[in-house]
């Protein structure tokens, strides 16, 4: 005899009522991120934003937080990853001189928990406000059977704009240009698969243990928010010509800096010219990681690399220090093969 019991979405593991309740409770928080240009409200099928003008070029990027989410889940701290995804995306379009206009998020999970959802969203909204970027919409998907119980994925898409005449491509970089590095807050959002293996498996540390060489917990060190460089870079752009910018994310120095180098130009990086957070030294020594591998996986304490004319370097450093960007002169552009060379 066939089972005549009625089926429902909730029985299948998807609670639409809970999802709508969570979204309703977050509307005020989201609307606080609205900026000039927003033409629609949360709940529309598509977000509407006024084009900034015909002389502007739109710049777009999509990225995710990656396995840093495993640390957030382990620590039961979810507000920082919301900031991470916004700031990461802001930096990605900033390298081309673009200001952010609006942001869209994707949260996929096995089971939506309103507390976790609100923590993540509060972080997204906080970073959007700090970057003067509207949270225009997004997708929250509850998919039991696809995501493991208790886990989630967080992805973001950002749209920004830059005046067509002011787009930064790196083509203006010349041999002799000074390379300035802006300090990172830690790992940012890259290299966590290797970092977690070293910290939790090889070193046997627990999430609430004190991180060696610091007064902070493992959770605090690993969940340090990915820094946005929007305000210091924009402050500098108004007064100094920036010939190139590189966001140091997945691929580290070796893969990211060459993306903006012209042909026949080498970026010579002088090691020891900036203060490196303790986490990198610990990872290298405990994991017995080769130096080149460290600079290919991690940002090594530098989250953004910029190129300026040598004559502008001192002024650029002064402006960046005033903007609390913690800048360091870390190298020089030279004629040669298009790559990065590390020098002692």
């Amino acid at each position: 005899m066939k089972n005549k019991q009625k089926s429902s979405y909730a029985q299948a593991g998807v609670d639409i009522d809970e999802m709508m309740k969570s979204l309703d409770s977050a509307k005020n928080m989201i609307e606080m991120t609205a900026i000039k240009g927003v033409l629609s409200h949360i709940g529309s099928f598509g977000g509407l934003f006024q084009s900034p003008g015909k002389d502007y070029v739109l710049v777009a990027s999509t990225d995710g937080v990656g396995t840093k989410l495993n640390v957030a889940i382990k620590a039961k701290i979810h507000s920082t990853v919301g900031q991470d995804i916004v700031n990461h995306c802001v930096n990605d379009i900033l390298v081309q001189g673009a200001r952010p206009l609006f942001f869209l998020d994707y949260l996929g999970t096995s089971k939506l928990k309103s507390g976790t959802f609100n923590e993540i969203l509060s972080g997204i909204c906080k970073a959007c406000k700090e970057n003067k970027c509207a949270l225009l919409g997004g997708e929250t998907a509850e998919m039991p059977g696809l995501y493991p119980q208790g886990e989630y994925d967080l992805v973001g898409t950002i749209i920004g704009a830059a005046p067509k005449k002011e787009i930064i491509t790196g083509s203006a970089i010349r041999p002799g240009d000074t390379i300035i590095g802006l300090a990172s807050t830690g790992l940012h959002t890259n290299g966590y698969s290797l970092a977690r293996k070293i910290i939790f498996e090889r070193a046997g540390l627990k999430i609430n243990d004190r991180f060696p060489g610091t007064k902070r917990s493992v959770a605090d060190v690993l969940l340090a928010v990915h820094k946005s460089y929007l305000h210091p870079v924009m402050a500098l752009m108004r007064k100094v010509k920036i010939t190139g910018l590189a966001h140091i994310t997945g691929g580290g120095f070796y893969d990211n800096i060459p993306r903006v180098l012209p042909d026949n130009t080498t970026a010579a990086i002088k090691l020891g010219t900036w203060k490196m957070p303790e986490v990198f030294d610990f990872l290298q020594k405990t994991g017995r990681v080769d130096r080149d591998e460290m600079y290919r996986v991690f940002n090594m304490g530098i989250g953004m690399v910029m190129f300026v004319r040598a004559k502008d370097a001192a002024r650029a450093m002064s402006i960046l220090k005033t903007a609390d960007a913690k800048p360091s002169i870390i190298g020089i552009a030279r004629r040669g093969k298009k790559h990065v060379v590390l020098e002692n």
Side-chain angles (χ1 to χ4, degrees):
M1 182 177 178
K2 292 184 178 179
N3 191 337
K4 294 183 179 180
Q5 183 180 356
K6 291 183 178 180
S7 298
S8 69
Y9 215 5
Q11 288 175 334
V14 180
D15 191 337
I16 296 176
D17 291 336
E18 178 67 15
M19 188 179 299
M20 296 310 297
K21 190 193 308 180
S22 295
L23 288 171
D24 284 340
S25 68
K27 279 186 177 180
N28 288 339
M29 186 164 49
I30 296 169
E31 287 173 357
M32 288 177 66
T33 70
I35 61 173
K36 182 180 178 182
V38 174
L39 302 177
S40 60
H41 298 285
I42 289 296
S44 302
F45 284 100
L48 301 177
F49 197 94
Q50 178 67 49
S51 172
K54 65 178 183 178
D55 295 327
Y56 283 76
V57 173
L58 296 180
V59 185
S61 182
T62 295
D63 220 309
V65 180
T67 60
K68 186 174 185 176
L69 294 175
N70 291 102
V71 181
I73 292 165
K74 189 187 289 283
K76 298 180 181 178
I77 299 172
H78 307 282
S79 60
T80 57
V81 294
Q83 297 172 68
D84 287 329
I85 188 58
V86 175
N87 290 343
H88 185 131
C89 289
V90 166
N91 291 338
D92 277 350
I93 64 170
L94 179 61
V95 300
Q96 290 166 300
R99 284 184 176 274
L101 297 175
F102 59 86
F103 184 82
L104 305 165
D105 68 276
Y106 167 81
L107 173 64
T109 183
S110 59
K111 180 71 175 176
L112 185 69
K113 295 181 180 179
S114 59
T116 301
F117 172 80
N118 285 327
E119 272 195 72
I120 296 168
L121 197 58
S122 71
I124 292 174
C125 291
K126 182 177 188 292
C128 281
K129 287 183 67 176
E130 290 173 348
N131 289 288
K132 295 182 171 56
C133 172
L135 178 55
L136 198 60
E139 165 70 356
T140 303
E142 195 173 36
M143 293 186 283
L146 181 61
Y147 291 99
Q149 187 64 36
E151 296 187 10
Y152 61 88
D153 193 17
L154 182 60
V155 178
T157 296
I158 198 164
I159 306 295
K164 193 171 184 178
K165 295 180 179 179
E166 297 177 17
I167 293 174
I168 300 171
T169 64
S171 61
I173 295 173
R174 298 287 180 267
D177 280 3
T178 297
I179 304 175
I180 297 174
L182 305 186
S184 71
T185 54
L187 272 65
H188 282 183
T189 50
N190 295 101
Y192 277 82
S193 294
L194 178 57
R196 289 185 302 112
K197 187 175 182 64
I198 295 170
I199 291 167
F200 297 123
E201 295 181 25
R202 179 165 291 195
L205 293 173
K206 304 299 182 185
I207 195 70
N208 292 317
D209 288 348
R210 183 179 63 81
F211 196 93
T214 76
K215 295 181 179 180
R216 302 156 67 199
S217 70
V218 171
D220 287 340
V221 169
L222 294 186
L223 293 177
V225 173
H226 191 135
K227 184 177 178 63
S228 166
Y229 299 99
L230 176 67
H231 299 304
V233 169
M234 285 296 171
L236 185 63
M237 281 179 63
R238 289 192 287 268
K239 298 179 180 179
V240 171
K241 179 180 176 61
I242 300 174
T243 57
L245 285 164
H247 185 198
I248 308 302
T249 59
F253 280 56
Y254 284 119
D255 290 344
N256 286 293
I257 297 176
R259 293 166 69 176
V260 301
L261 291 176
D263 291 337
N264 304 314
T265 305
T266 294
I269 304 297
K270 182 70 173 177
L271 299 179
T273 52
W274 69 90
K275 180 176 173 55
M276 192 180 297
E278 297 88 344
V279 62
F280 298 107
D281 184 58
F282 176 84
L283 289 171
Q284 184 168 15
K285 290 179 179 177
T286 306
R288 299 177 64 186
V289 184
D290 291 341
R291 186 191 73 175
D292 284 350
E293 181 73 356
M294 290 292 295
Y295 280 86
R296 181 166 281 112
V297 175
F298 302 111
N299 65 60
M300 302 303 286
I302 297 294
M304 184 71 76
V305 166
M306 60 173 56
F307 295 76
V308 299
R309 300 292 186 232
K311 65 181 179 62
D312 295 327
R315 189 180 185 201
M317 287 290 290
S318 177
I319 293 168
L320 291 167
K321 286 176 182 177
T322 301
D324 195 31
K326 296 182 175 63
S328 301
I329 293 178
I330 64 171
I332 188 171
R334 292 181 182 154
R335 193 174 305 281
K337 182 180 176 182
K338 181 179 177 176
H339 73 155
V340 172
V341 58
L342 304 180
E343 299 178 342
N344 293 314

Coordinates of all heavy atoms in Angstrom, one line a residue, residues 65-71 187 189-201 283 297-298:
V65 N 34.8 33.6 0.2 CA 35.6 33.6 1.4 C 36.5 32.4 1.5 O 37.5 32.4 2.1 CB 34.7 33.8 2.6 CG1 35.5 33.8 3.9 CG2 33.9 35.0 2.5
G66 N 36.1 31.3 0.8 CA 36.9 30.1 0.8 C 36.8 29.4 2.1 O 35.9 29.5 2.9
T67 N 37.9 28.6 2.4 CA 37.9 27.7 3.6 C 38.1 28.5 4.9 O 38.2 27.9 6.0 CB 38.9 26.6 3.5 OG1 40.2 27.1 3.3 CG2 38.5 25.7 2.3
K68 N 38.2 29.8 4.9 CA 38.2 30.6 6.1 C 36.9 30.4 6.8 O 36.8 30.5 8.0 CB 38.4 32.1 5.8 CG 38.5 33.0 7.0 CD 38.9 34.4 6.6 CE 39.1 35.3 7.8 NZ 39.6 36.7 7.4
L69 N 35.8 30.0 6.0 CA 34.5 29.8 6.6 C 34.6 28.6 7.6 O 33.9 28.6 8.6 CB 33.5 29.4 5.5 CG 33.2 30.6 4.5 CD1 32.3 30.1 3.4 CD2 32.5 31.7 5.3
N70 N 35.5 27.6 7.3 CA 35.6 26.5 8.3 C 36.1 27.0 9.6 O 35.7 26.4 10.7 CB 36.6 25.5 7.7 CG 36.1 24.7 6.5 OD1 36.5 25.0 5.4 ND2 35.2 23.8 6.7
V71 N 36.9 28.0 9.6 CA 37.4 28.6 10.9 C 36.3 29.3 11.6 O 36.1 29.2 12.8 CB 38.6 29.5 10.7 CG1 39.1 30.1 12.0 CG2 39.7 28.8 9.9
L187 N 46.0 36.8 7.3 CA 45.9 36.0 6.1 C 44.8 36.5 5.1 O 44.8 36.1 3.9 CB 45.5 34.5 6.5 CG 46.6 33.6 6.8 CD1 47.4 34.0 8.0 CD2 46.0 32.2 7.0
T189 N 41.8 36.4 3.1 CA 40.9 35.3 2.8 C 41.6 34.3 1.9 O 40.9 33.6 1.1 CB 39.6 35.9 2.0 OG1 40.0 36.7 1.0 CG2 38.7 36.6 3.0
N190 N 42.9 34.1 2.0 CA 43.6 33.2 1.1 C 44.6 32.3 1.9 O 45.2 32.8 2.9 CB 44.3 33.9 0.0 CG 43.3 34.6 -0.9 OD1 43.1 35.8 -0.9 ND2 42.6 33.8 -1.8
G191 N 44.8 31.1 1.5 CA 45.7 30.2 2.0 C 45.2 29.4 3.2 O 46.0 28.7 3.9
Y192 N 43.9 29.4 3.5 CA 43.4 28.8 4.7 C 43.4 27.2 4.6 O 43.5 26.6 5.7 CB 42.0 29.3 5.0 CG 42.0 30.6 5.7 CD1 42.2 31.8 5.0 CD2 41.9 30.7 7.1 CE1 42.2 33.0 5.7 CE2 42.0 31.9 7.8 CZ 42.2 33.0 7.0 OH 42.2 34.2 7.7
S193 N 43.4 26.7 3.5 CA 43.5 25.2 3.4 C 44.9 24.7 4.0 O 44.9 23.8 4.7 CB 43.3 24.7 2.0 OG 42.0 25.0 1.5
L194 N 45.9 25.4 3.6 CA 47.3 25.1 4.1 C 47.4 25.5 5.6 O 47.9 24.8 6.4 CB 48.3 25.8 3.2 CG 49.8 25.6 3.7 CD1 50.1 24.1 3.8 CD2 50.8 26.3 2.7
A195 N 46.9 26.7 5.9 CA 47.1 27.3 7.2 C 46.3 26.4 8.2 O 46.8 26.1 9.3 CB 46.5 28.7 7.3
R196 N 45.1 25.9 7.9 CA 44.4 25.1 8.8 C 45.1 23.7 9.0 O 45.1 23.2 10.1 CB 43.0 24.8 8.3 CG 42.1 26.1 8.3 CD 40.6 25.8 7.9 NE 40.6 25.3 6.5 CZ 40.2 24.0 6.2 NH1 39.8 23.2 7.2 NH2 40.1 23.7 5.0
K197 N 45.6 23.2 8.0 CA 46.4 21.9 8.1 C 47.5 22.0 9.0 O 47.8 21.2 9.9 CB 46.8 21.5 6.7 CG 47.4 20.1 6.7 CD 47.8 19.6 5.3 CE 48.3 18.2 5.2 NZ 47.3 17.2 5.6
I198 N 48.3 23.1 8.9 CA 49.5 23.3 9.8 C 49.0 23.6 11.2 O 49.6 23.0 12.2 CB 50.3 24.5 9.2 CG1 50.9 24.1 7.9 CG2 51.4 24.8 10.2 CD1 51.6 25.3 7.2
I199 N 48.1 24.5 11.4 CA 47.7 25.0 12.8 C 46.9 23.9 13.5 O 47.2 23.6 14.7 CB 46.9 26.2 12.7 CG1 47.8 27.4 12.2 CG2 46.2 26.6 14.0 CD1 47.0 28.6 11.7
F200 N 45.9 23.3 12.9 CA 45.1 22.4 13.6 C 45.5 20.9 13.6 O 45.3 20.2 14.6 CB 43.6 22.4 13.1 CG 43.0 23.8 13.2 CD1 42.5 24.5 12.1 CD2 42.9 24.3 14.5 CE1 41.9 25.7 12.3 CE2 42.3 25.6 14.7 CZ 41.8 26.3 13.6
E201 N 46.2 20.5 12.5 CA 46.7 19.1 12.4 C 48.1 19.0 12.9 O 48.4 18.2 13.8 CB 46.5 18.6 11.0 CG 45.1 18.5 10.5 CD 44.9 18.0 9.1 OE1 45.8 17.3 8.6 OE2 43.9 18.3 8.4
L283 N 53.6 29.7 10.5 CA 53.2 28.8 9.4 C 54.4 28.3 8.7 O 54.5 27.1 8.4 CB 52.3 29.5 8.5 CG 50.9 29.8 9.0 CD1 50.1 30.7 8.0 CD2 50.1 28.5 9.3
V297 N 51.4 31.4 -1.8 CA 50.2 31.0 -1.2 C 49.6 32.2 -0.4 O 48.4 32.5 -0.5 CB 50.4 29.8 -0.3 CG1 49.1 29.5 0.5 CG2 50.8 28.6 -1.1
F298 N 50.5 32.9 0.4 CA 50.0 33.9 1.3 C 50.4 35.3 0.9 O 51.2 35.5 0.0 CB 50.6 33.6 2.7 CG 50.3 32.3 3.2 CD1 51.3 31.3 3.4 CD2 49.0 31.9 3.6 CE1 51.0 30.0 3.9 CE2 48.7 30.7 4.1 CZ 49.7 29.7 4.2

